[in-house]
Amino acid sequence: MKISKSLVKQNIKKHDYSGLEKDRYYISYLDIDKPNIVYANIKIPPSKIYKKGVDLSGKKLLIITAFALGDSIHFLPVLKAIKRAYKDVYIGYEHKKDNKLLIDNPYIDELVPTPIDIDVLDRFDYIFDLTAHVATVGFDNQFVPDYLASLFDEKVFGFYEKDKKPDITLSNDPEVKTTIYKIKRFISLGRPLLGLHFEASSIHRRIPPDVLDIVLNYAKDKYTVVCAYTDSAKDLAKEYFEKYPFIVDVSSYVKDVEYLSHYVSILDILISAETSVAHIGVALGVPTLVVLGPGSFEAVYDYKVPHIKGVNARYVGTKCSSPCRIHALLEPCPEAKLFKDLKKQDDNYSPCFKFIDRIELLETFKSLEHFVKNSDIEKEDKIDNFEELYSYYYKTKLVNDYIGRAYLYFYKYRHSLFYFIQEFARKNKNVKIEG
C-alpha cells in the first residue's frame, strides 16, 4: 500500500506533541523519500532493536505502529503467530487512545498509548518500529501481513502461514451491545442485513454510487440494506440515499470503533470500499465483498479465507493505471484531477471505478451468498431488554396470539418475532396476547 508524501508530512504535523517534554517521549516518523530511515527524537539502544532470529521466549517485545486501524488488523495474525512461536513472550503494542478495537485482544498483553514515555521503553527487552518498513518495496507490493510476518523468523512465519485470519475481540460493554442489537431487532424486519460501507478515509477509495447499481437493485428485495458513515462522508451518503431510497441509515447507532465492530458482527453480508471495515468483516467471519478502484485485493485483503472476495478495477489511464495501489491521499487522485480539468467529469471520484465490471460484481456477490444464514432461526437469541422489545412490537401491532407455544402467521416478520414471543411465553404462562 502506497501513501502520498503530502499525507506523511501532514501526519507529522498532526502528531506534533507540542507542549510535552520532548526528551521524555519517543516520537518517530518516516521520511517518505528514504524508506527504512526513521527519524526520532530519542535514539533506541542498538541492543534493544529487534533483529530477525532473536529468541523472544520469556521476553518483552514492544511494537511501535503507524496508528492506522487497517494496519493494526493486518498485524493481528502476525501477533498470533509470535505468541504461538515463543513461550511466555509479552507483547506491547502502541496505539491511539481512541482505537478501542484492540482492547482485550488475546495476543496483546499491553496497549501502550502514544506518545511513548521513555520509562515504558526501558521496560521492554526488544523494540520493533513498524515505521521503518512503511513505503518499502515489500510493504507496497506484497500482501501486507505476509510482508510483516517475513520480518520475523521462520518459526513465526510457519505459524502465520497456517492461520492468516485476524482475530478481533468484541467489547462486553452492555450499552454498546444493546444499542447495536436494536438494528437487528427493529430495523432488519426479519430479513438478512446487508451492510454497505461506501466511505474511505481517502476520497479516491470511496465507491461512486453508480458502481453498485446492479448489485443493490438485485439485493434490495432479499435484504434490508443498511449503512453507517461519518460526517466527512455526508455528501456521498446523500447521493446514495437519492439513488437508492431503500437504504436505511444506521449511523446514529454506530458511535465509534467500539460500536463499529459490533455493528459489523450483526451483518449477514457486507459490501465495502477498501478500508478497515472490510478487515473487521474478515476477522468476524462476515461474508465480505470489497470493491477496489486504486487498490489491489491481493495486496490488502488476501487472507486466504473463503468468506472475503474482491473485484479490482481494470483501467489504463493517462496518468496512472489500476491498481495503482496508492492507499492514502489528501486529495483526489491525479487522474481524477486531470479529468476534471478536461471537463470529462464533474466529480472527484477515481475514474478507475467506472471500469469495474458490474456483472462481475453481481456474480461475486452471489458467490458469497451461500455463507449467509438466517442466524435468528438457527440459534437462540438472548433478549437483553424484554420490556423495550415488547413495547415496540405491541405498539406496531405485530404480536400474534399465544396459546401453548409461539406460532406466527406473519411470515415476513417471523425471524425477528419468534424469539420475542418465545421469551414472552416464558414470562407469561397461558396469556393471550392481542395487538
Side-chain angles (χ1 to χ4, degrees):
M1 299 187 298
K2 300 176 184 177
I3 54 179
S4 72
K5 296 179 183 180
S6 57
L7 186 68
V8 171
K9 291 173 182 174
Q10 185 213 40
N11 275 351
I12 293 169
K13 293 176 183 176
K14 184 178 179 181
H15 301 295
D16 176 21
Y17 304 105
S18 55
L20 295 175
E21 297 178 50
K22 290 290 181 70
D23 58 347
R24 290 289 309 164
Y25 296 91
Y26 177 79
I27 304 168
S28 64
Y29 62 90
L30 177 72
D31 184 338
I32 198 71
D33 293 315
K34 301 173 182 176
N36 280 321
I37 296 179
V38 176
Y39 295 90
N41 60 324
I42 295 173
K43 195 172 181 68
I44 297 173
S47 60
K48 278 185 173 286
I49 297 174
Y50 171 80
K51 296 179 179 62
K52 187 173 182 177
V54 169
D55 185 356
L56 293 172
S57 300
K59 302 297 184 182
K60 290 187 173 184
L61 173 68
L62 173 61
I63 296 174
I64 296 173
T65 69
F67 301 143
L69 192 58
D71 289 343
S72 297
I73 299 173
H74 269 154
F75 227 127
L76 290 179
V78 182
L79 299 183
K80 176 165 52 177
I82 294 172
K83 280 287 190 181
R84 290 174 176 174
Y86 294 108
K87 184 179 180 181
D88 298 328
V89 61
Y90 183 95
I91 296 178
Y93 198 88
E94 183 189 20
H95 80 125
K96 289 191 290 187
K97 291 180 180 178
D98 59 352
N99 183 358
K100 299 177 182 179
L101 190 68
L102 301 176
I103 294 174
D104 296 328
N105 190 280
Y107 310 114
I108 299 174
D109 298 290
E110 180 181 352
L111 286 170
V112 178
T114 189
I116 302 173
D117 190 292
I118 56 172
D119 290 340
V120 175
L121 292 179
D122 290 340
R123 290 196 287 105
F124 286 86
D125 300 299
Y126 296 105
I127 296 167
F128 176 90
D129 196 337
L130 174 61
T131 316
H133 301 280
V134 175
T136 59
V137 173
F139 189 90
D140 283 351
N141 295 287
Q142 285 180 252
F143 178 47
V144 175
D146 283 358
Y147 173 68
L148 296 174
S150 73
L151 300 174
F152 295 84
D153 63 23
E154 291 78 7
K155 192 176 179 181
V156 171
F157 197 83
F159 280 104
Y160 164 77
E161 278 286 288
K162 294 175 184 176
D163 184 4
K164 296 186 177 185
K165 180 179 170 292
D167 295 323
I168 292 174
T169 304
L170 294 175
S171 164
N172 286 318
D173 186 329
E175 180 185 347
V176 175
K177 294 165 71 174
T178 301
T179 300
I180 293 302
Y181 275 93
K182 287 179 183 178
I183 300 173
K184 194 78 168 177
R185 293 170 186 154
F186 301 157
I187 294 175
S188 70
L189 297 179
R191 305 164 82 189
L193 282 172
L194 163 57
L196 173 61
H197 193 80
F198 43 72
E199 181 182 2
S201 56
S202 294
I203 190 171
H204 74 301
R205 288 185 280 118
R206 295 179 177 183
I207 308 173
D210 290 344
V211 172
L212 299 177
D213 53 359
I214 294 179
V215 172
L216 291 180
N217 283 304
Y218 160 79
K220 67 180 181 181
D221 295 324
K222 301 176 66 175
Y223 300 88
T224 297
V225 184
V226 295
C227 75
Y229 56 92
T230 63
D231 287 345
S232 64
K234 278 184 175 179
D235 291 340
L236 176 58
K238 184 178 178 181
E239 290 183 50
Y240 268 90
F241 295 141
E242 288 175 353
K243 186 172 179 62
Y244 309 108
F246 51 83
I247 296 176
V248 182
D249 183 356
V250 295
S251 303
S252 60
Y253 296 90
V254 186
K255 300 175 183 179
D256 60 25
V257 171
E258 191 175 10
Y259 287 80
L260 176 64
S261 54
H262 268 280
Y263 162 65
V264 174
S265 75
I266 68 167
L267 300 176
D268 294 284
I269 193 166
L270 168 67
I271 298 176
S272 177
E274 182 193 344
T275 186
S276 58
V277 171
H279 294 293
I280 295 172
V282 175
L284 297 174
V286 177
T288 301
L289 170 60
V290 191
V291 184
L292 303 104
S296 162
F297 178 82
E298 292 73 21
V300 186
Y301 295 102
D302 196 11
Y303 289 100
K304 305 299 182 189
V305 292
H307 60 273
I308 182 168
K309 297 184 179 182
V311 176
N312 294 324
R314 299 176 182 87
Y315 175 72
V316 178
T318 304
K319 287 197 172 273
C320 65
S321 298
S322 181
C324 64
R325 296 189 178 184
I326 296 176
H327 183 75
L329 286 172
L330 281 175
E331 54 191 8
C333 76
E335 194 82 356
K337 290 196 291 185
L338 174 65
F339 273 38
K340 204 167 183 180
D341 290 343
L342 297 175
K343 302 191 183 308
K344 290 186 176 182
Q345 69 179 53
D346 55 8
D347 55 52
N348 291 318
Y349 299 122
S350 297
C352 53
F353 277 106
K354 298 172 184 175
F355 290 81
I356 288 179
D357 188 326
R358 309 295 203 272
I359 300 302
E360 183 183 357
L361 269 179
L362 177 60
E363 293 304 316
T364 306
F365 180 83
K366 286 182 176 180
S367 73
L368 288 165
E369 285 190 288
H370 73 277
F371 291 106
V372 177
K373 299 176 182 178
N374 290 320
S375 55
D376 286 341
I377 294 176
E378 295 185 353
K379 65 181 181 182
E380 185 160 340
D381 190 7
K382 182 180 178 183
I383 296 176
D384 296 319
N385 193 335
F386 174 78
E387 287 72 22
E388 180 185 3
L389 186 63
Y390 170 73
S391 174
Y392 176 83
Y393 280 123
Y394 187 84
K395 288 175 181 177
T396 51
K397 300 185 183 299
L398 295 178
V399 179
N400 258 57
D401 288 351
Y402 164 73
I403 301 176
R405 66 175 294 232
Y407 184 85
L408 300 178
Y409 296 98
F410 294 95
Y411 180 84
K412 180 177 181 182
Y413 301 105
R414 76 188 195 285
H415 305 329
S416 295
L417 290 175
F418 178 83
Y419 292 103
F420 158 64
I421 291 189
Q422 183 184 67
E423 187 74 6
F424 190 91
R426 289 179 184 147
K427 293 179 179 250
N428 302 273
K429 300 296 183 184
N430 300 317
V431 172
K432 184 177 181 180
I433 305 170
E434 296 179 348

